[in-house]
Amino acid sequence: MSRKQFFTGIFLASLLSGVIAVGGYRLLTPQPRVIEVNDDEQQPLLTKYLEDTTFVVPEGLNFVFAAEKVTPTVVHIRSTYNGSGDDAQAGRNPLEEFFREYWGDGQRAPRDPHQRRGPARAFGSGVLISEDGYIATNNHVVEDADEVQVTLEDNRVYDAKVIGTDPTTDLALLKIEEDDLPFVKFGNSDVVRVGEWVLAVGNPFDLTSTVTAGIVSAKARNINILRDQSGLQIESFIQTDAAVNRGNSGGALVNLKGDLIGINTAIITPTGVNAGYSFAVPSSIVSKVMRDLKEFGTVQRALLGVQIRSVDADLADQFNLNTLNGVYILGVTEGSAARDAGIEDGDVIVSVNEVQINTVSELQEQIARYRPGDEVDVVVIRNNKRRNFEVKLKNNMGDTQMVRNESSISIGGARFREVSEEEANELEIQGGVRVIDLSTGKFKAAGVEEGFIITSVNKRPIRSVNDLMEALQNNSGGMLFEGVNPDGSESYYAIGW
């Protein structure tokens, strides 16, 4: 055998051994299944790194329009606490306690009641909702503040007045004296869908005019953060993953059209900064609360008068229900709107005015948009059959009357409150109603100035806001308003009514 034949034999033997080894491996090793995908089914696409920097988002997914439209309407709010209240502890953000509850960062040490407390400041956001300076924000941004200052996107600064607050929804209405302001339009939060793109606009960490983007993660979310003595708090938040941090409270949540669909209110995070969970009060509630606060100084809360819980599998099994949706009525209050309409214990509410109801939060949100005296169509399941009821909603006093703020009212473009006993004694008057805010209307046109105290109308003594309301309701035509100015001088105004 030649040397060449020897090496050829070695090569062929090695090659044959390799073929046998590979063949044996394939015979002994399970092969991956190949699944055919029909042409009309969507096929997955692999992602890759894009070196092309000209790549743009799909047409229609553009945040620029909404951002440019909304940013001028979002304001920076700074609340000052002068040391008279608990929240004025020097160096502490008064919003801390609100966030602390769901940040879980422990308990604060007890305060020394004798400790001298200096002024403290908190910051937040707000949204201009009218060209004459009305601003929507959160109650916790301005609650118990001694002074509220608003800075516009163009850096103009104004002192703001708190027109009204509603702790049950954590909303508040402010007013600054300016005209021709940019403002956001209310959108319809009812038609917002999970997965829809949204923008959050506000002032996180005291940084002005910040825009972040995300999607709607859930609707009608209850996270149990609101507390109110009345027990009427409403939580039906829009949940998003847009970045929201301290200072965003009171800011705008908008759709890609730039329409307001919510007021950013809360976050849930283990770190104290954004962790992908933010919550906004839906615009359906915001618009109603703002109207009420502007007109009455307080919210007109309509009630069904029922004790309720969401239906789940255990409840359905316990009461032999044929549905896993809706709100189960545990009890109906005597004399309530529900009782008057014929709704009973054990009924399951499944819709209100043709809007499907699946949870307690959804029911609360639907009823919260109405006022006492409004009628709603309520569909319930009773004995596994659907029944319709026309319900005339009532207030918490058990009637259909509108309720006014006991100490302040708004009439004819002016806002009033009763003078305190100290103010009356200082000015040597028996009482009266002070003008605390003026906008376009009869009083401003007549030359009335802020601070003027009405002591009589057509020679009828005015001691309270109720006296003023009765005087205006029982008179027409020309009316004579007499009173005193803050310096004690007397003035009178003839106003056509």
Side-chain angles (χ1 to χ4, degrees):
M1 179 182 296
S2 66
R3 187 170 181 173
K4 180 177 180 181
Q5 290 175 327
F6 175 76
F7 283 111
T8 300
I10 293 295
F11 173 76
L12 291 176
S14 299
L15 180 62
L16 180 60
S17 298
V19 170
I20 293 173
V22 171
Y25 173 80
R26 297 197 61 175
L27 288 173
L28 296 175
T29 303
Q31 297 302 300
R33 291 193 305 154
V34 178
I35 302 176
E36 294 184 358
V37 179
N38 295 331
D39 292 339
D40 59 349
E41 294 182 359
Q42 183 172 342
Q43 301 184 34
L45 299 177
L46 298 177
T47 60
K48 65 177 181 178
Y49 175 73
L50 293 175
E51 295 181 352
D52 184 1
T53 58
T54 63
F55 178 79
V56 296
V57 296
E59 182 180 358
L61 185 58
N62 192 324
F63 305 136
V64 176
F65 173 79
E68 291 182 345
K69 181 179 179 181
V70 176
T71 299
T73 72
V74 176
V75 304
H76 182 275
I77 296 176
R78 186 175 293 274
S79 300
T80 302
Y81 301 79
N82 292 329
S84 58
D86 288 342
D87 284 329
Q89 183 179 0
R92 187 177 69 86
N93 188 326
L95 303 188
E96 177 185 350
E97 203 62 37
F98 179 83
F99 287 102
R100 182 186 300 275
E101 183 174 344
Y102 49 91
W103 279 347
D105 54 355
Q107 297 294 322
R108 188 175 63 247
R111 299 172 182 161
D112 180 357
H114 302 292
Q115 178 183 357
R116 180 178 177 83
R117 297 168 182 160
R121 289 183 174 180
F123 54 85
S125 304
V127 186
L128 284 161
I129 57 173
S130 71
E131 63 180 358
D132 58 346
Y134 283 97
I135 298 169
T137 187
N138 283 136
N139 173 61
H140 76 262
V141 172
V142 298
E143 186 175 19
D144 298 327
D146 296 291
E147 300 174 16
V148 178
Q149 191 177 75
V150 167
T151 303
L152 304 187
E153 195 259 347
D154 61 9
N155 292 323
R156 285 182 288 172
V157 180
Y158 299 85
D159 290 330
K161 295 180 180 178
V162 179
I163 302 302
T165 62
D166 180 32
T168 66
T169 55
D170 194 27
L171 293 171
L173 178 65
L174 311 182
K175 177 72 166 62
I176 61 174
E177 291 306 315
E178 189 57 87
D179 295 315
D180 299 323
L181 293 168
F183 65 96
V184 69
K185 294 182 179 179
F186 281 98
N188 185 355
S189 57
D190 291 344
V191 300
V192 173
R193 301 173 64 185
V194 173
E196 181 176 339
W197 280 99
V198 291
L199 300 183
V201 187
N203 305 282
F205 304 118
D206 218 12
L207 300 172
T208 58
S209 304
T210 299
V211 180
T212 56
I215 63 169
V216 174
S217 304
K219 296 180 66 177
R221 185 72 85 194
N222 187 329
I223 55 177
N224 295 312
I225 61 169
L226 298 185
R227 299 290 182 268
D228 185 71
Q229 293 180 348
S230 68
L232 299 177
Q233 58 269 19
I234 296 174
E235 292 191 28
S236 187
F237 294 119
I238 297 173
Q239 179 182 333
T240 77
D241 63 356
V244 170
N245 287 288
R246 292 195 188 200
N248 273 111
S249 288
L253 185 71
V254 300
N255 58 23
L256 295 190
K257 296 179 182 179
D259 295 334
L260 186 72
I261 60 169
I263 294 293
N264 294 314
T265 298
I267 60 176
I268 291 181
T269 168
T271 63
V273 294
N274 176 262
Y277 301 94
S278 60
F279 301 88
V281 181
S283 60
S284 60
I285 293 178
V286 177
S287 59
K288 191 266 182 180
V289 170
M290 295 301 107
R291 290 195 306 269
D292 285 353
L293 294 179
K294 183 177 180 181
E295 185 175 350
F296 302 99
T298 188
V299 173
Q300 305 304 314
R301 177 57 53 80
L303 302 174
L304 278 174
V306 293
Q307 293 81 51
I308 53 180
R309 61 167 287 186
S310 299
V311 174
D312 55 25
D314 291 338
L315 188 76
D317 182 65
Q318 179 181 354
F319 294 102
N320 194 29
L321 306 177
N322 66 350
T323 179
L324 291 177
N325 297 318
V327 173
Y328 186 81
I329 299 179
L330 299 169
V332 181
T333 304
E334 287 298 328
S336 66
R339 179 68 76 194
D340 291 349
I343 294 176
E344 300 177 355
D345 300 3
D347 288 347
V348 178
I349 298 176
V350 293
S351 76
V352 174
N353 281 356
E354 299 182 351
V355 176
Q356 183 175 341
I357 301 298
N358 296 315
T359 65
V360 168
S361 294
E362 291 176 344
L363 177 60
Q364 289 177 329
E365 180 182 347
Q366 288 302 314
I367 298 300
R369 65 187 65 193
Y370 299 104
R371 289 176 172 177
D374 290 342
E375 294 186 355
V376 295
D377 179 41
V378 178
V379 177
V380 308
I381 294 179
R382 181 185 297 174
N383 298 325
N384 293 330
K385 296 182 180 179
R386 297 171 68 91
R387 297 191 58 177
N388 289 67
F389 296 91
E390 288 293 329
V391 182
K392 190 172 186 178
L393 300 173
K394 296 184 178 183
N395 58 31
N396 59 359
M397 302 299 292
D399 57 44
T400 59
Q401 299 300 310
M402 296 299 171
V403 181
R404 292 189 179 273
N405 189 317
E406 295 180 355
S407 60
S408 86
I409 57 173
S410 181
I411 305 171
R415 191 165 183 80
F416 306 89
R417 69 164 175 81
E418 297 174 6
V419 299
S420 65
E421 184 177 351
E422 291 77 13
E423 290 173 320
N425 291 337
E426 183 179 348
L427 294 170
E428 298 182 348
I429 57 178
Q430 299 300 311
V433 176
R434 182 188 293 274
V435 178
I436 59 174
D437 183 34
L438 278 170
S439 56
T440 303
K442 296 179 182 293
F443 289 93
K444 188 173 184 178
V448 176
E449 297 182 354
E450 289 186 17
F452 176 67
I453 299 173
I454 300 172
T455 57
S456 72
V457 174
N458 287 353
K459 302 300 181 179
R460 174 179 175 172
I462 301 297
R463 302 288 183 263
S464 67
V465 292
N466 288 332
D467 290 343
L468 180 60
M469 286 295 299
E470 292 178 6
L472 298 179
Q473 291 172 352
N474 296 330
N475 289 279
S476 60
M479 304 182 71
L480 180 64
F481 293 79
E482 298 180 85
V484 298
N485 299 305
D487 61 3
S489 61
E490 298 182 356
S491 296
Y492 64 89
Y493 301 90
I495 302 178
W497 208 257

